[in-house]
mmCIF file of all heavy atoms in Angstrom:
data_model
loop_
_atom_site.group_PDB
_atom_site.id
_atom_site.type_symbol
_atom_site.label_atom_id
_atom_site.label_comp_id
_atom_site.label_asym_id
_atom_site.label_seq_id
_atom_site.Cartn_x
_atom_site.Cartn_y
_atom_site.Cartn_z
ATOM 1 N N GLU O 1282 87.207 -194.867 -97.029
ATOM 2 C CA GLU O 1282 86.706 -195.918 -97.930
ATOM 3 C C GLU O 1282 87.350 -197.263 -97.612
ATOM 4 O O GLU O 1282 86.661 -198.296 -97.539
ATOM 5 C CB GLU O 1282 86.978 -195.530 -99.375
ATOM 6 C CG GLU O 1282 86.470 -196.564 -100.374
ATOM 7 C CD GLU O 1282 86.796 -196.197 -101.808
ATOM 8 O OE1 GLU O 1282 87.577 -195.241 -102.014
ATOM 9 O OE2 GLU O 1282 86.284 -196.879 -102.715
ATOM 10 N N GLN O 1286 85.079 -200.364 -96.291
ATOM 11 C CA GLN O 1286 84.980 -201.550 -97.137
ATOM 12 C C GLN O 1286 85.419 -202.791 -96.374
ATOM 13 O O GLN O 1286 84.783 -203.857 -96.475
ATOM 14 C CB GLN O 1286 85.837 -201.363 -98.391
ATOM 15 C CG GLN O 1286 85.231 -200.450 -99.433
ATOM 16 C CD GLN O 1286 86.084 -200.340 -100.674
ATOM 17 O OE1 GLN O 1286 87.279 -200.609 -100.647
ATOM 18 N NE2 GLN O 1286 85.483 -199.939 -101.771
ATOM 19 N N ALA O 1308 74.327 -203.513 -93.253
ATOM 20 C CA ALA O 1308 73.545 -202.396 -93.797
ATOM 21 C C ALA O 1308 74.101 -201.058 -93.316
ATOM 22 O O ALA O 1308 74.125 -200.081 -94.069
ATOM 23 C CB ALA O 1308 72.080 -202.547 -93.393
ATOM 24 N N THR O 1310 77.289 -200.271 -92.451
ATOM 25 C CA THR O 1310 78.531 -199.899 -93.130
ATOM 26 C C THR O 1310 78.279 -199.574 -94.599
ATOM 27 O O THR O 1310 78.911 -198.678 -95.164
ATOM 28 C CB THR O 1310 79.581 -201.025 -93.019
ATOM 29 O OG1 THR O 1310 79.008 -202.267 -93.461
ATOM 30 C CG2 THR O 1310 80.051 -201.189 -91.589
ATOM 31 N N LEU O 1311 77.337 -200.260 -95.228
ATOM 32 C CA LEU O 1311 76.988 -199.924 -96.611
ATOM 33 C C LEU O 1311 76.374 -198.532 -96.707
ATOM 34 O O LEU O 1311 76.633 -197.786 -97.647
ATOM 35 C CB LEU O 1311 76.023 -200.979 -97.178
ATOM 36 C CG LEU O 1311 76.611 -202.359 -97.436
ATOM 37 C CD1 LEU O 1311 75.502 -203.343 -97.804
ATOM 38 C CD2 LEU O 1311 77.666 -202.318 -98.529
ATOM 39 N N ASN O 1312 75.561 -198.213 -95.707
ATOM 40 C CA ASN O 1312 74.987 -196.866 -95.664
ATOM 41 C C ASN O 1312 76.098 -195.814 -95.560
ATOM 42 O O ASN O 1312 76.077 -194.791 -96.251
ATOM 43 C CB ASN O 1312 74.044 -196.748 -94.469
ATOM 44 C CG ASN O 1312 73.520 -195.332 -94.283
ATOM 45 O OD1 ASN O 1312 72.784 -194.822 -95.105
ATOM 46 N ND2 ASN O 1312 73.916 -194.694 -93.195
ATOM 47 N N ASN O 1313 77.071 -196.083 -94.694
ATOM 48 C CA ASN O 1313 78.204 -195.152 -94.556
ATOM 49 C C ASN O 1313 78.991 -195.029 -95.852
ATOM 50 O O ASN O 1313 79.409 -193.922 -96.241
ATOM 51 C CB ASN O 1313 79.124 -195.608 -93.425
ATOM 52 C CG ASN O 1313 78.491 -195.433 -92.056
ATOM 53 O OD1 ASN O 1313 77.490 -194.744 -91.907
ATOM 54 N ND2 ASN O 1313 79.049 -196.074 -91.061
ATOM 55 N N LEU O 1314 79.189 -196.136 -96.537
ATOM 56 C CA LEU O 1314 79.876 -196.088 -97.824
ATOM 57 C C LEU O 1314 79.070 -195.302 -98.850
ATOM 58 O O LEU O 1314 79.629 -194.551 -99.651
ATOM 59 C CB LEU O 1314 80.117 -197.514 -98.343
ATOM 60 C CG LEU O 1314 81.366 -198.222 -97.833
ATOM 61 C CD1 LEU O 1314 81.341 -199.702 -98.211
ATOM 62 C CD2 LEU O 1314 82.628 -197.578 -98.397
ATOM 63 N N GLY O 1315 77.751 -195.485 -98.844
ATOM 64 C CA GLY O 1315 76.903 -194.734 -99.769
ATOM 65 C C GLY O 1315 77.023 -193.245 -99.559
ATOM 66 O O GLY O 1315 77.081 -192.466 -100.525
ATOM 67 N N ILE O 1316 77.039 -192.817 -98.294
ATOM 68 C CA ILE O 1316 77.200 -191.394 -97.990
ATOM 69 C C ILE O 1316 78.558 -190.902 -98.467
ATOM 70 O O ILE O 1316 78.688 -189.807 -99.031
ATOM 71 C CB ILE O 1316 77.039 -191.165 -96.483
ATOM 72 C CG1 ILE O 1316 75.605 -191.471 -96.048
ATOM 73 C CG2 ILE O 1316 77.416 -189.733 -96.095
ATOM 74 C CD1 ILE O 1316 75.400 -191.507 -94.561
ATOM 75 N N LEU O 1317 79.584 -191.710 -98.258
ATOM 76 C CA LEU O 1317 80.934 -191.345 -98.692
ATOM 77 C C LEU O 1317 80.986 -191.170 -100.218
ATOM 78 O O LEU O 1317 81.486 -190.152 -100.721
ATOM 79 C CB LEU O 1317 81.928 -192.413 -98.256
ATOM 80 C CG LEU O 1317 83.352 -192.297 -98.818
ATOM 81 C CD1 LEU O 1317 84.026 -191.021 -98.329
ATOM 82 C CD2 LEU O 1317 84.178 -193.510 -98.430
ATOM 83 N N TYR O 1318 80.459 -192.147 -100.953
ATOM 84 C CA TYR O 1318 80.516 -192.068 -102.415
ATOM 85 C C TYR O 1318 79.677 -190.907 -102.937
ATOM 86 O O TYR O 1318 80.049 -190.262 -103.929
ATOM 87 C CB TYR O 1318 80.039 -193.390 -103.035
ATOM 88 C CG TYR O 1318 80.978 -194.541 -102.780
ATOM 89 C CD1 TYR O 1318 80.491 -195.830 -102.540
ATOM 90 C CD2 TYR O 1318 82.350 -194.365 -102.770
ATOM 91 C CE1 TYR O 1318 81.341 -196.893 -102.313
ATOM 92 C CE2 TYR O 1318 83.216 -195.425 -102.539
ATOM 93 C CZ TYR O 1318 82.696 -196.681 -102.303
ATOM 94 O OH TYR O 1318 83.553 -197.734 -102.070
ATOM 95 N N SER O 1319 78.550 -190.637 -102.295
ATOM 96 C CA SER O 1319 77.732 -189.490 -102.718
ATOM 97 C C SER O 1319 78.492 -188.187 -102.482
ATOM 98 O O SER O 1319 78.448 -187.271 -103.305
ATOM 99 C CB SER O 1319 76.409 -189.494 -101.945
ATOM 100 O OG SER O 1319 75.577 -188.434 -102.374
ATOM 101 N N GLN O 1320 79.188 -188.102 -101.344
ATOM 102 C CA GLN O 1320 79.991 -186.915 -101.056
ATOM 103 C C GLN O 1320 81.077 -186.718 -102.114
ATOM 104 O O GLN O 1320 81.414 -185.591 -102.482
ATOM 105 C CB GLN O 1320 80.624 -187.046 -99.668
ATOM 106 C CG GLN O 1320 81.565 -185.909 -99.281
ATOM 107 C CD GLN O 1320 80.818 -184.626 -98.981
ATOM 108 O OE1 GLN O 1320 79.599 -184.630 -98.812
ATOM 109 N NE2 GLN O 1320 81.532 -183.509 -98.925
ATOM 110 N N LEU O 1321 81.607 -187.841 -102.618
ATOM 111 C CA LEU O 1321 82.643 -187.793 -103.646
ATOM 112 C C LEU O 1321 82.057 -187.665 -105.055
ATOM 113 O O LEU O 1321 82.795 -187.715 -106.042
ATOM 114 C CB LEU O 1321 83.512 -189.055 -103.568
ATOM 115 C CG LEU O 1321 84.343 -189.227 -102.289
ATOM 116 C CD1 LEU O 1321 84.994 -190.595 -102.254
ATOM 117 C CD2 LEU O 1321 85.399 -188.142 -102.194
ATOM 118 N N ASN O 1322 80.715 -187.543 -105.127
ATOM 119 C CA ASN O 1322 80.009 -187.464 -106.422
ATOM 120 C C ASN O 1322 80.237 -188.713 -107.277
ATOM 121 O O ASN O 1322 80.159 -188.653 -108.505
ATOM 122 C CB ASN O 1322 80.424 -186.209 -107.187
ATOM 123 C CG ASN O 1322 80.022 -184.934 -106.467
ATOM 124 O OD1 ASN O 1322 78.897 -184.812 -106.016
ATOM 125 N ND2 ASN O 1322 80.951 -184.009 -106.349
ATOM 126 N N ASP O 1323 80.515 -189.824 -106.620
ATOM 127 C CA ASP O 1323 80.657 -191.104 -107.324
ATOM 128 C C ASP O 1323 79.305 -191.818 -107.222
ATOM 129 O O ASP O 1323 79.110 -192.738 -106.413
ATOM 130 C CB ASP O 1323 81.773 -191.939 -106.676
ATOM 131 C CG ASP O 1323 82.124 -193.167 -107.495
ATOM 132 O OD1 ASP O 1323 81.319 -193.553 -108.349
ATOM 133 O OD2 ASP O 1323 83.216 -193.727 -107.275
ATOM 134 N N PHE O 1324 78.372 -191.375 -108.065
ATOM 135 C CA PHE O 1324 76.987 -191.793 -107.903
ATOM 136 C C PHE O 1324 76.760 -193.252 -108.293
ATOM 137 O O PHE O 1324 75.852 -193.900 -107.757
ATOM 138 C CB PHE O 1324 76.073 -190.869 -108.707
ATOM 139 C CG PHE O 1324 76.197 -189.429 -108.307
ATOM 140 C CD1 PHE O 1324 76.556 -188.464 -109.233
ATOM 141 C CD2 PHE O 1324 75.979 -189.050 -107.002
ATOM 142 C CE1 PHE O 1324 76.676 -187.137 -108.855
ATOM 143 C CE2 PHE O 1324 76.107 -187.732 -106.618
ATOM 144 C CZ PHE O 1324 76.453 -186.773 -107.544
ATOM 145 N N ASP O 1325 77.557 -193.781 -109.208
ATOM 146 C CA ASP O 1325 77.377 -195.186 -109.589
ATOM 147 C C ASP O 1325 77.674 -196.107 -108.414
ATOM 148 O O ASP O 1325 76.906 -197.025 -108.118
ATOM 149 C CB ASP O 1325 78.304 -195.529 -110.760
ATOM 150 C CG ASP O 1325 77.855 -194.864 -112.053
ATOM 151 O OD1 ASP O 1325 76.668 -194.509 -112.136
ATOM 152 O OD2 ASP O 1325 78.689 -194.707 -112.965
ATOM 153 N N ARG O 1326 78.794 -195.855 -107.744
ATOM 154 C CA ARG O 1326 79.129 -196.715 -106.588
ATOM 155 C C ARG O 1326 78.186 -196.459 -105.423
ATOM 156 O O ARG O 1326 77.850 -197.383 -104.671
ATOM 157 C CB ARG O 1326 80.581 -196.497 -106.179
ATOM 158 C CG ARG O 1326 81.563 -197.145 -107.148
ATOM 159 C CD ARG O 1326 82.902 -197.445 -106.497
ATOM 160 N NE ARG O 1326 83.629 -196.219 -106.184
ATOM 161 C CZ ARG O 1326 84.817 -196.201 -105.584
ATOM 162 N NH1 ARG O 1326 85.393 -197.328 -105.210
ATOM 163 N NH2 ARG O 1326 85.424 -195.059 -105.346
ATOM 164 N N ALA O 1327 77.765 -195.200 -105.248
ATOM 165 C CA ALA O 1327 76.776 -194.915 -104.197
ATOM 166 C C ALA O 1327 75.515 -195.720 -104.449
ATOM 167 O O ALA O 1327 74.913 -196.289 -103.523
ATOM 168 C CB ALA O 1327 76.465 -193.418 -104.167
ATOM 169 N N ASN O 1328 75.114 -195.799 -105.696
ATOM 170 C CA ASN O 1328 73.913 -196.545 -106.056
ATOM 171 C C ASN O 1328 74.070 -198.037 -105.752
ATOM 172 O O ASN O 1328 73.151 -198.693 -105.244
ATOM 173 C CB ASN O 1328 73.607 -196.341 -107.540
ATOM 174 C CG ASN O 1328 72.334 -197.051 -107.968
ATOM 175 O OD1 ASN O 1328 71.244 -196.727 -107.529
ATOM 176 N ND2 ASN O 1328 72.484 -198.038 -108.829
ATOM 177 N N VAL O 1329 75.264 -198.577 -106.024
ATOM 178 C CA VAL O 1329 75.498 -200.003 -105.808
ATOM 179 C C VAL O 1329 75.387 -200.370 -104.332
ATOM 180 O O VAL O 1329 74.673 -201.306 -103.949
ATOM 181 C CB VAL O 1329 76.885 -200.413 -106.358
ATOM 182 C CG1 VAL O 1329 77.253 -201.830 -105.892
ATOM 183 C CG2 VAL O 1329 76.893 -200.346 -107.879
ATOM 184 N N VAL O 1330 76.074 -199.612 -103.473
ATOM 185 C CA VAL O 1330 76.085 -199.988 -102.053
ATOM 186 C C VAL O 1330 74.747 -199.682 -101.387
ATOM 187 O O VAL O 1330 74.285 -200.426 -100.515
ATOM 188 C CB VAL O 1330 77.251 -199.313 -101.296
ATOM 189 C CG1 VAL O 1330 78.567 -199.844 -101.794
ATOM 190 C CG2 VAL O 1330 77.198 -197.802 -101.395
ATOM 191 N N LEU O 1331 74.091 -198.586 -101.798
ATOM 192 C CA LEU O 1331 72.777 -198.302 -101.234
ATOM 193 C C LEU O 1331 71.755 -199.334 -101.699
ATOM 194 O O LEU O 1331 70.831 -199.693 -100.931
ATOM 195 C CB LEU O 1331 72.320 -196.897 -101.607
ATOM 196 C CG LEU O 1331 73.030 -195.751 -100.869
ATOM 197 C CD1 LEU O 1331 72.591 -194.398 -101.417
ATOM 198 C CD2 LEU O 1331 72.787 -195.818 -99.371
ATOM 199 N N SER O 1332 71.904 -199.837 -102.917
ATOM 200 C CA SER O 1332 71.010 -200.906 -103.395
ATOM 201 C C SER O 1332 71.163 -202.153 -102.546
ATOM 202 O O SER O 1332 70.182 -202.820 -102.214
ATOM 203 C CB SER O 1332 71.320 -201.233 -104.867
ATOM 204 O OG SER O 1332 71.035 -200.148 -105.698
ATOM 205 N N GLU O 1333 72.408 -202.465 -102.189
ATOM 206 C CA GLU O 1333 72.643 -203.639 -101.349
ATOM 207 C C GLU O 1333 72.059 -203.438 -99.959
ATOM 208 O O GLU O 1333 71.466 -204.351 -99.377
ATOM 209 C CB GLU O 1333 74.143 -203.922 -101.274
ATOM 210 C CG GLU O 1333 74.483 -205.266 -100.662
ATOM 211 C CD GLU O 1333 75.955 -205.583 -100.700
ATOM 212 O OE1 GLU O 1333 76.713 -204.900 -101.417
ATOM 213 O OE2 GLU O 1333 76.373 -206.548 -100.014
ATOM 214 N N SER O 1334 72.213 -202.210 -99.430
ATOM 215 C CA SER O 1334 71.627 -201.905 -98.124
ATOM 216 C C SER O 1334 70.097 -202.013 -98.198
ATOM 217 O O SER O 1334 69.457 -202.555 -97.290
ATOM 218 C CB SER O 1334 72.030 -200.489 -97.695
ATOM 219 O OG SER O 1334 71.460 -200.155 -96.456
ATOM 220 N N LEU O 1335 69.522 -201.524 -99.287
ATOM 221 C CA LEU O 1335 68.070 -201.594 -99.467
ATOM 222 C C LEU O 1335 67.601 -203.045 -99.542
ATOM 223 O O LEU O 1335 66.555 -203.401 -98.977
ATOM 224 C CB LEU O 1335 67.666 -200.829 -100.730
ATOM 225 C CG LEU O 1335 66.168 -200.779 -101.044
ATOM 226 C CD1 LEU O 1335 65.413 -200.066 -99.932
ATOM 227 C CD2 LEU O 1335 65.930 -200.096 -102.384
ATOM 228 N N VAL O 1355 66.101 -195.584 -96.014
ATOM 229 C CA VAL O 1355 66.904 -195.949 -97.175
ATOM 230 C C VAL O 1355 66.239 -195.449 -98.459
ATOM 231 O O VAL O 1355 66.910 -194.945 -99.372
ATOM 232 C CB VAL O 1355 67.108 -197.476 -97.248
ATOM 233 C CG1 VAL O 1355 67.820 -197.862 -98.534
ATOM 234 C CG2 VAL O 1355 67.920 -197.962 -96.058
ATOM 235 N N ASN O 1358 66.876 -191.798 -98.802
ATOM 236 C CA ASN O 1358 68.261 -191.593 -99.233
ATOM 237 C C ASN O 1358 68.422 -191.893 -100.721
ATOM 238 O O ASN O 1358 69.119 -191.168 -101.450
ATOM 239 C CB ASN O 1358 69.210 -192.480 -98.427
ATOM 240 C CG ASN O 1358 69.301 -192.061 -96.976
ATOM 241 O OD1 ASN O 1358 68.940 -190.953 -96.628
ATOM 242 N ND2 ASN O 1358 69.762 -192.962 -96.134
ATOM 243 N N PHE O 1359 67.765 -192.962 -101.160
ATOM 244 C CA PHE O 1359 67.836 -193.312 -102.577
ATOM 245 C C PHE O 1359 67.168 -192.238 -103.436
ATOM 246 O O PHE O 1359 67.683 -191.865 -104.494
ATOM 247 C CB PHE O 1359 67.143 -194.658 -102.821
ATOM 248 C CG PHE O 1359 68.069 -195.730 -103.278
ATOM 249 C CD1 PHE O 1359 68.125 -196.942 -102.624
ATOM 250 C CD2 PHE O 1359 68.893 -195.522 -104.368
ATOM 251 C CE1 PHE O 1359 68.996 -197.937 -103.037
ATOM 252 C CE2 PHE O 1359 69.761 -196.511 -104.793
ATOM 253 C CZ PHE O 1359 69.810 -197.720 -104.133
ATOM 254 N N GLY O 1360 66.009 -191.762 -102.988
ATOM 255 C CA GLY O 1360 65.308 -190.719 -103.737
ATOM 256 C C GLY O 1360 66.174 -189.478 -103.904
ATOM 257 O O GLY O 1360 66.221 -188.869 -104.982
ATOM 258 N N GLU O 1361 66.863 -189.101 -102.832
ATOM 259 C CA GLU O 1361 67.743 -187.934 -102.901
ATOM 260 C C GLU O 1361 68.900 -188.172 -103.869
ATOM 261 O O GLU O 1361 69.310 -187.256 -104.602
ATOM 262 C CB GLU O 1361 68.263 -187.598 -101.502
ATOM 263 C CG GLU O 1361 67.184 -187.058 -100.578
ATOM 264 C CD GLU O 1361 67.655 -186.869 -99.144
ATOM 265 O OE1 GLU O 1361 68.669 -187.493 -98.782
ATOM 266 O OE2 GLU O 1361 67.015 -186.095 -98.413
ATOM 267 N N LEU O 1362 69.428 -189.391 -103.877
ATOM 268 C CA LEU O 1362 70.504 -189.720 -104.807
ATOM 269 C C LEU O 1362 69.994 -189.642 -106.249
ATOM 270 O O LEU O 1362 70.647 -189.046 -107.123
ATOM 271 C CB LEU O 1362 71.042 -191.125 -104.516
ATOM 272 C CG LEU O 1362 72.134 -191.637 -105.453
ATOM 273 C CD1 LEU O 1362 73.383 -190.782 -105.340
ATOM 274 C CD2 LEU O 1362 72.465 -193.095 -105.150
ATOM 275 N N TYR O 1363 68.819 -190.231 -106.515
ATOM 276 C CA TYR O 1363 68.262 -190.177 -107.871
ATOM 277 C C TYR O 1363 68.001 -188.733 -108.303
ATOM 278 O O TYR O 1363 68.271 -188.363 -109.450
ATOM 279 C CB TYR O 1363 66.958 -190.970 -107.929
ATOM 280 C CG TYR O 1363 67.122 -192.464 -107.886
ATOM 281 C CD1 TYR O 1363 66.324 -193.254 -107.054
ATOM 282 C CD2 TYR O 1363 68.067 -193.115 -108.688
ATOM 283 C CE1 TYR O 1363 66.464 -194.632 -107.019
ATOM 284 C CE2 TYR O 1363 68.208 -194.492 -108.654
ATOM 285 C CZ TYR O 1363 67.406 -195.242 -107.813
ATOM 286 O OH TYR O 1363 67.546 -196.611 -107.779
ATOM 287 N N LYS O 1365 69.522 -186.104 -107.286
ATOM 288 C CA LYS O 1365 70.803 -185.432 -107.474
ATOM 289 C C LYS O 1365 71.382 -185.702 -108.860
ATOM 290 O O LYS O 1365 72.083 -184.854 -109.425
ATOM 291 C CB LYS O 1365 71.783 -185.910 -106.388
ATOM 292 C CG LYS O 1365 72.985 -185.002 -106.195
ATOM 293 C CD LYS O 1365 73.795 -185.434 -104.986
ATOM 294 C CE LYS O 1365 74.972 -184.487 -104.744
ATOM 295 N NZ LYS O 1365 75.785 -184.918 -103.583
ATOM 296 N N VAL O 1366 71.083 -186.883 -109.408
ATOM 297 C CA VAL O 1366 71.580 -187.218 -110.749
ATOM 298 C C VAL O 1366 70.480 -187.036 -111.801
ATOM 299 O O VAL O 1366 70.585 -187.539 -112.921
ATOM 300 C CB VAL O 1366 72.136 -188.657 -110.794
ATOM 301 C CG1 VAL O 1366 73.316 -188.806 -109.867
ATOM 302 C CG2 VAL O 1366 71.069 -189.684 -110.448
ATOM 303 N N SER O 1574 81.886 -184.260 -111.559
ATOM 304 C CA SER O 1574 80.624 -184.994 -111.670
ATOM 305 C C SER O 1574 79.729 -184.344 -112.711
ATOM 306 O O SER O 1574 78.912 -183.471 -112.383
ATOM 307 C CB SER O 1574 79.915 -185.033 -110.311
ATOM 308 O OG SER O 1574 78.662 -185.667 -110.454
#
Side-chain angles (χ1 to χ4, degrees):
E1282 180 182 10
Q1286 284 182 339
T1310 52
L1311 290 172
N1312 174 66
N1313 290 345
L1314 276 169
I1316 294 170
L1317 171 64
Y1318 292 143
S1319 183
Q1320 176 72 14
L1321 295 172
N1322 296 313
D1323 190 342
F1324 301 122
D1325 289 339
R1326 286 204 291 178
N1328 182 65
V1329 168
V1330 294
L1331 286 175
S1332 295
E1333 191 175 348
S1334 179
L1335 181 62
V1355 174
N1358 291 342
F1359 245 127
E1361 290 174 340
L1362 178 64
Y1363 287 134
K1365 198 172 183 181
V1366 298
S1574 176

